[in-house]
Amino acid sequence: MSQQGEAAAGEGAQLGASAADTIALLQSLIREACVNDGSVGSGQEIRSVRVLQRFLAEAVATGRVETHVLESAPGRASLVARVRGTDPDAPSLGLLGHLDVVPVDEEGWIRNPFGGDLIDGEIWGRGAVDMLYLTAAFACVVRDAALAPEPPRGDLVLIAVADEEGGGEYGIHWLVRKHPEVVRVTEALSESGGMRMGRHVAIEIAEKGSAGRRLVIHGKPGHASIPYGAKSASYRVGEVLQRLGEVMPAAQLGPLWNRFIDARIQDPALAERLRDPVRLDAALPHLGGISGYAHAVSRVTISPTVLRAGATHNVIPAVGTIDLDIRTLPGTTDEEVDHLLTVVLGPLASQVEIQHLRGWAATTSPADTPLFAAIERAVEAVADAPVVPIMAAGGSDARVLRELGIPAYGFGLLGPGWSYERYREGVHSNNERIDVESVTLSLEALRHIVRDRVA
C-alpha cells in the first residue's frame, strides 16, 4: 500500500489496499481544486492530470498502459490511459470521468471545500460526489488491470476529461473531434448512477436533451420621466414570465416511467395516480423529495434563467429578452419545442420572437446490452439489490458517446442510505462529501464489471 493509501485508511478503517488507495487518490484530486467557472482559463485540469500520472506511474512502467495527455487549451488537459487487451474482437470498455468541479461558496461550508478531509468515515470536498470518487475508482481498476499477472482480454480505457461542468467543449467534445482513435471504445461507464430507489439501485441509461431558447420582446422606448405613450419592454417581459409560470407542459410518460414507479412508489393508490398523465400533477406533492425528479422526467421542462431589459435608468427599454433552459424528452424535435412555446405563450405568442440557443437531443442507451447485464450482475453480487434503469434530468459527457452510437451508462453503487434525494442534495451543494462505504461498494462493483467484460 502507498503512503497515501495508509493515510486514507486512518481512523482504523479496515480497507483493502486498492480501496484505501482509491480514497487517497480522491483526496488528492479534491485538493487540486480544478474549479471550472465556464471561462476558458478556469479548470486547469492539468493539475489533476499530473496527480493521475503519478498514481499510474508504476503501471505505466510495466509497458502495459498507453497514456496520452491532451490539452485543448493551455492547462485544459485530459488524460487517456489504455490497457491493451489481447483479443481484438473483445469489448473495449471506457471509463469516462471528469476532473473539473463547480465553484464553491466557502462561507457555506463548515470545512475546507478543497481539504479532502476524511472525517468519521466521510471524504469532504467539492467534487467528492460529482464525480471525483468515480474518477478515482476508474483510475484504480485501470492500474490494477495493468499490474495483474495476465493482461485483459479486451481494452480497458480511462478517459479523465476536462470541462464537463462547462459543457465539454474543452474536454470530451474536443477529444472525439481531434483524437477519435485515442478515445475509441465500444461501451462505457460514467456518472449519475448508484443512488437507491427503494431497494433498487438506479443506473442511468438516458439523459434529457437541451433546447435553449431566447424570447425577444419588443416595446416602444421613451424618456423615463414621461412614461405616458411609451410601451416598456420590461412590462412585457413580466407578462411573458407570468404566462410561463402559469402554464405547465403536459406530462408525456415514456418507457422508463413505469419502472421508476415500480421501484420507488410503494403505495398502490398513489402509483396508480402517477401512471395517469391526467392525475399525475395533482399527485406530485405526495412524493416528497423525489417530486422534483418525477416532474422533470415526465415532461419537457421550461425554466426562465436570464432576464435582460434596458441599459440605463432614465430610458424606457425598447427590447427585453428572456433566456430559457428547456430540457427535452427523447424524440422531441426543435420544431416541437417551438410549437410548445407558442402554445404556452398563448395570446402573447405573436408579440414574441423565438431565437434558438445552444442545444442537443436527448440520448438513450438500450437496457439489453451485455454491458448493462454486467452492471446488473455486479450490483446483485455486491449489494444484493436489483437495478432500475432511469433517465437523468440533467446532462453528462456520456451523451457524447451515445451520439456516436456507443452504449454508455451512468454508474455507481452508493450505500443503502443514499436515496435519490440525498444524491441530488450532495451534488453542487455546500458541504459536499461521500462516505467510505459508497466508494468501496462502487469500486467492488466496478471490478466485477471489468472482470465480466474485458478480463
Side-chain angles (χ1 to χ4, degrees), residues 141-434:
V141 297
V142 166
R143 184 195 65 174
D144 289 350
L147 295 176
E150 298 294 331
R153 181 172 53 90
D155 287 7
L156 184 61
V157 189
L158 171 65
I159 308 171
V161 299
D163 198 38
E164 190 276 342
E165 300 291 2
E169 287 303 314
Y170 296 95
I172 190 64
H173 283 287
W174 182 82
L175 286 171
V176 299
R177 284 198 311 269
K178 298 295 186 180
H179 302 280
E181 285 304 308
V182 173
V183 295
R184 179 190 56 79
V185 295
T186 60
E187 57 190 29
L189 302 176
S190 192
E191 61 180 328
S192 300
M195 65 290 290
R196 303 300 177 110
M197 292 280 192
R199 63 179 296 266
H200 291 69
V201 173
I203 298 296
E204 184 236 280
I205 72 166
E207 296 177 4
K208 294 184 77 176
S210 178
R213 295 292 187 270
R214 175 169 294 159
L215 304 183
V216 182
I217 302 105
H218 296 276
K220 181 181 178 182
H223 197 288
S225 67
I226 308 178
Y228 184 81
K231 294 181 180 179
S232 174
S234 296
Y235 286 126
R236 292 194 167 183
V237 165
E239 292 171 356
V240 171
L241 285 173
Q242 183 174 2
R243 181 74 184 180
L244 291 171
E246 292 174 346
V247 181
M248 181 183 297
Q252 299 172 266
L253 306 183
L256 296 179
W257 180 254
N258 280 336
R259 299 191 69 170
F260 159 65
I261 298 301
D262 290 341
R264 182 59 195 262
I265 308 303
Q266 303 303 312
D267 180 347
L270 179 58
E272 182 182 356
R273 293 172 64 191
L274 291 167
R275 296 184 205 277
D276 182 351
V278 176
R279 296 189 291 164
L280 188 157
D281 287 346
L284 286 175
H286 298 282
L287 297 184
I290 199 76
S291 58
Y293 172 78
H295 175 270
V297 298
S298 62
R299 73 203 66 221
V300 174
T301 57
I302 303 173
S303 298
T305 52
V306 181
L307 312 178
R308 301 181 183 89
T312 184
H313 81 284
N314 61 350
V315 177
I316 293 173
V319 178
T321 62
I322 305 171
D323 287 358
L324 303 176
D325 183 301
I326 300 176
R327 299 299 172 120
T328 59
L329 297 170
T332 307
T333 66
D334 276 336
E335 292 76 17
E336 289 170 333
V337 170
D338 291 339
H339 176 70
L340 174 62
L341 280 175
T342 300
V343 171
V344 168
L345 292 171
L348 301 177
S350 62
Q351 306 168 40
V352 177
E353 175 191 352
I354 300 173
Q355 297 180 350
H356 287 212
L357 303 178
R358 181 183 176 208
W360 54 86
T363 60
T364 304
S365 293
D368 59 357
T369 65
L371 177 56
F372 192 80
I375 295 170
E376 291 181 301
R377 288 190 290 269
V379 171
E380 176 68 27
V382 175
D384 190 25
V387 161
V388 58
I390 65 166
M391 177 165 59
S396 76
D397 282 342
R399 74 175 186 273
V400 180
L401 299 184
R402 292 194 189 111
E403 288 167 355
L404 297 173
I406 300 166
Y409 302 99
F411 172 72
L413 181 52
L414 302 172
W418 280 82
S419 64
Y420 181 87
E421 298 94 307
R422 178 179 175 184
Y423 175 79
R424 291 309 310 172
E425 289 169 359
V427 174
H428 296 188
S429 68
N430 292 336
N431 301 315
E432 183 179 353
R433 59 198 186 273
I434 194 165

Side-chain angles (χ1 to χ4, degrees), residues 49-67:
V49 166
R50 299 304 184 210
V51 170
L52 290 175
Q53 286 182 301
R54 291 192 291 272
F55 182 81
L56 295 171
E58 181 182 0
V60 171
T62 67
R64 299 248 294 267
V65 181
E66 172 189 307
T67 61

